[in-house]
Amino acid sequence: KRGEDRPCLTSSRSRLHNYVSELSFASMRLGKRKQVGVGVVPFPSVSIELHAIGGFHCVSTSLPPLSGATRHVVRTFSDGGGGGDFFYGQEVHCVAAEPMACVLRVAVVDEEAGQEVAYDTVVLGAVREGYRVIHLRSMLGTRIESCYLLVHIAFSTQVNAWVGEQELVQKLYDLKEANDELRCKIDETLARNAQLESRLIDVLDSPSAFG
């Protein structure tokens, strides 16, 4: 919620908040930031970014990627049902040549106020497949109590070609599909041949085969 401080103070490092509380409670720094309204952010967006030390990387909603953009904003069409739970159904692809040298940053954006309100970061190569929970932090770096982002993560391999060489990338995918179709036809032909050979053996083994 806007103007609300809810730092998670139950971790093993919670005692640090007693000494540097200004790093946990944003209300102590209101003079240094813009405050717009109160209550739940009506339609918070989620920003997905990649920050790499080296190697090609991009964020895209399709494969192969159509651009080299490293940030994509996903918007919700739900008002949270009054409980502050929002749903984001768009699929986003994070492409990186060196995933262990690439940082994934996820941020919640209050677009009406024009500012980020929560975020977290993780090394892209360290994430695991399946349903995962991201415990979000305030903009001061402290985890927020009961503030999570549930995501589903899946891995795949992308053709290693620079964005812009779309014709080459598409040609490779077309050839792969054609190759898969040919493999299916070969398997069907082999199966039919096996059936014919079996029938021929039965005919040859039949007592009436040679009169």
Side-chain angles (χ1 to χ4, degrees):
K1 295 182 179 180
R2 292 168 176 163
E4 179 184 53
D5 285 319
R6 205 167 66 236
C8 183
L9 304 178
T10 58
S11 66
S12 59
R13 300 179 180 178
S14 60
R15 65 181 184 276
L16 299 177
H17 300 281
N18 297 329
Y19 303 99
V20 197
S21 57
E22 62 270 21
L23 295 180
S24 304
F25 295 90
S27 58
M28 297 183 178
R29 301 161 59 93
L30 284 179
K32 298 184 179 180
R33 71 171 188 173
K34 179 172 62 174
Q35 182 67 30
V36 178
V38 294
V40 177
V41 178
F43 294 96
S45 301
V46 172
S47 171
I48 300 171
E49 311 164 18
L50 286 182
H51 302 271
I53 297 175
F56 175 78
H57 60 288
C58 71
V59 179
S60 176
T61 57
S62 63
L63 290 177
L66 300 178
S67 72
T70 58
R71 180 177 184 266
H72 180 74
V73 176
V74 179
R75 294 175 174 83
T76 180
F77 297 98
S78 166
D79 60 1
D85 296 327
F86 299 91
F87 174 75
Y88 304 86
Q90 186 175 16
E91 186 177 75
V92 179
H93 305 281
C94 296
V95 182
E98 301 291 342
M100 290 305 295
C102 189
V103 175
L104 168 64
R105 184 177 187 271
V106 180
V108 177
V109 183
D110 181 353
E111 294 195 85
E112 182 179 341
Q115 62 186 15
E116 294 182 351
V117 295
Y119 79 99
D120 197 21
T121 59
V122 63
V123 175
L124 184 62
V127 299
R128 294 178 296 167
E129 283 191 292
Y131 286 96
R132 300 297 168 196
V133 172
I134 300 175
H135 194 172
L136 298 174
R137 303 173 182 270
S138 71
M139 301 313 295
L140 299 175
T142 303
R143 293 192 186 279
I144 305 172
E145 182 179 346
S146 302
C147 185
Y148 304 96
L149 186 65
L150 177 64
V151 298
H152 182 265
I153 298 173
F155 295 148
S156 65
T157 301
Q158 172 64 22
V159 176
N160 186 16
W162 291 104
V163 173
E165 298 179 353
Q166 295 303 313
E167 294 183 1
L168 173 60
V169 173
Q170 190 60 50
K171 183 64 176 179
L172 290 174
Y173 276 107
D174 292 341
L175 289 175
K176 182 178 182 302
E177 291 180 1
N179 187 53
D180 292 339
E181 292 179 1
L182 289 175
R183 286 181 181 276
C184 290
K185 291 181 180 180
I186 290 174
D187 291 339
E188 292 175 357
T189 302
L190 291 176
R192 285 198 298 269
N193 288 343
Q195 292 178 352
L196 292 174
E197 289 179 359
S198 178
R199 292 178 183 176
L200 179 60
I201 292 174
D202 292 340
V203 170
L204 294 177
D205 291 342
S206 173
S208 60
F210 298 97

